[in-house]
Amino acid sequence: MAVLVAGSIATDHLMHFPGRFSEQLLADELHKVSLSFLVDELVVRRGGVAANIAFGMGQLGGVPVLMGAVGADFDEYRAWLERHGVVCDFVHTSEVHHTARFVCTTDEQMCQIASFYAGAMSEARNIELAPAWEASGADLVVISADDPAAMVRHSHECRDRGYRFAADPSQQIARMSGADLHALIEGADLLFTNDYEKSLLESKTGLSDDEVIGRVGVRVTTRGSKGVEIVGRGVDHVHVPVAKEREKADPTGVGDAFRAGFLTARGWGLSWQRAGEVGSLLATLVLETVGTQEYVVKPADFADRLAESYGGDCAAEVLPHLP
């Protein structure tokens, strides 16, 4: 079954400066700073929350329909996503803006100077979900981090049209007002946050944990090395430990991969426990890889690692669904 995945689509331009920023900054001259750093490395990574989630779902054989705004420079990225099972037919292309871009330079001390260009993402608020929902036969909308006005519009449209949706505000919780967060989560079938975001959302909305659950169906909270907690109306408390890792390479995109695995497994009809296990292993694959979309799901290997972390019954239940 298709899933609409709405949210940010971006590229990351990551550079390395073989020195220390602190040695180039003069305390008495910061009011007129003008510097250019000669870097020795440039890596361009594909990213954006919605694109990362959609890529993960495609790896597992799902049918993710990407919903977001990009610029005319998106052609190569589009081809990459489509090769990996992502439907990009309903991505909005801006006539005036480039695709959102994160440009970051890191020095030898791991200090960073960065800029984020929202670009076309600001036009996501103009996207209507109905054409993609009807054409794809989707049964769920994922509303992930994006232009805040777009996120609120999407949640209103889902309620008005009776679409099932998952709210995944992540880093935009810091940007959104309590009223906007109320509007985003009201009536959501699922709410995704990490541990810190859970507390921040409750603080900004003034809602208690029980009050939040009263407004959504199921709350899924990732807790880093402590695993995942799943609670909700009519759902017994579920705790899923993290999957066993081989190495730690880069944590960027781990949460997006968890959501991709979790939602795809629920689409297969698997239990909350199994969905958490599939999501946790996909997150671990990203943790072991530099880049958010550089991993590959190989069914036999994936099943073996599920068995290693969660037992043979889990692997046997998941393997028939893998592409």
Side-chain angles (χ1 to χ4, degrees), residues 288-300:
E288 296 171 349
T289 309
V290 177
T292 59
Q293 299 178 24
E294 305 302 322
Y295 62 98
V296 177
V297 173
K298 299 178 180 179

Side-chain angles (χ1 to χ4, degrees), residues 39 46 53 62 78 88-89 92 110 144 179 250 277 295 302 308:
V39 299
R46 305 171 187 90
I53 294 173
R78 179 194 298 272
C88 297
D89 297 351
H92 168 80
M110 300 303 289
S144 61
D250 182 358
E277 291 164 352
Y295 62 98
F302 196 82
E308 179 184 345

Side-chain angles (χ1 to χ4, degrees), residues 262-317:
F262 183 92
L263 291 167
T264 303
R266 286 296 293 169
W268 293 335
L270 301 187
S271 67
W272 299 108
Q273 181 78 32
R274 289 287 183 257
E277 291 164 352
V278 172
S280 295
L281 179 55
L282 203 67
T284 294
L285 296 187
V286 173
L287 179 65
E288 296 171 349
T289 309
V290 177
T292 59
Q293 299 178 24
E294 305 302 322
Y295 62 98
V296 177
V297 173
K298 299 178 180 179
D301 292 344
F302 196 82
D304 287 345
R305 294 197 60 178
L306 282 173
E308 179 184 345
S309 293
Y310 304 115
D313 288 347
C314 174
E317 200 171 339

Side-chain angles (χ1 to χ4, degrees), residues 66-85:
L66 185 60
M67 306 292 296
V70 300
D73 55 342
F74 182 62
D75 287 352
E76 184 179 350
Y77 195 173
R78 179 194 298 272
W80 163 266
L81 291 170
E82 289 178 340
R83 288 198 305 274
H84 291 86

